[in-house]
Amino acid sequence: MRIFEVTLHAPDGGERTVKVPSKTGVQAVDAAVALARPGEAVGAVRETDDPLQQVDGPPPGTQTHPDQPM
């Protein structure tokens, strides 16, 4: 599992970054969307080296089991 930082852009022009565990960048977007507030849009996605592996949410589910982490 890798750690990704995903930037979320708010409608008022603000932004915030969340850290999520994921196998791929695309799946990191799925995990970040679950943490997004109404009206926020995904911006940048980048893999990060986080030695403590502190994250803001769980990994994304799979297509066949969207409610279960990979």
Side-chain angles (χ1 to χ4, degrees):
M1 196 71 51
R2 298 159 29 196
I3 306 297
F4 289 86
E5 289 182 348
V6 180
T7 303
L8 299 172
H9 296 280
D12 64 1
E15 66 179 42
R16 67 186 178 106
T17 302
V18 294
K19 285 184 178 179
V20 293
S22 181
K23 290 184 179 181
T24 69
V26 172
Q27 291 172 334
V29 171
D30 292 340
V33 166
L35 300 173
R37 297 176 186 142
E40 286 184 321
V42 173
V45 178
R46 73 176 186 91
E47 186 174 0
T48 183
D49 282 332
D50 185 350
L52 300 177
Q53 300 214 349
Q54 294 178 329
V55 295
D56 297 313
T62 63
Q63 287 182 342
T64 57
H65 295 92
D67 58 334
Q68 298 175 7
M70 297 184 275

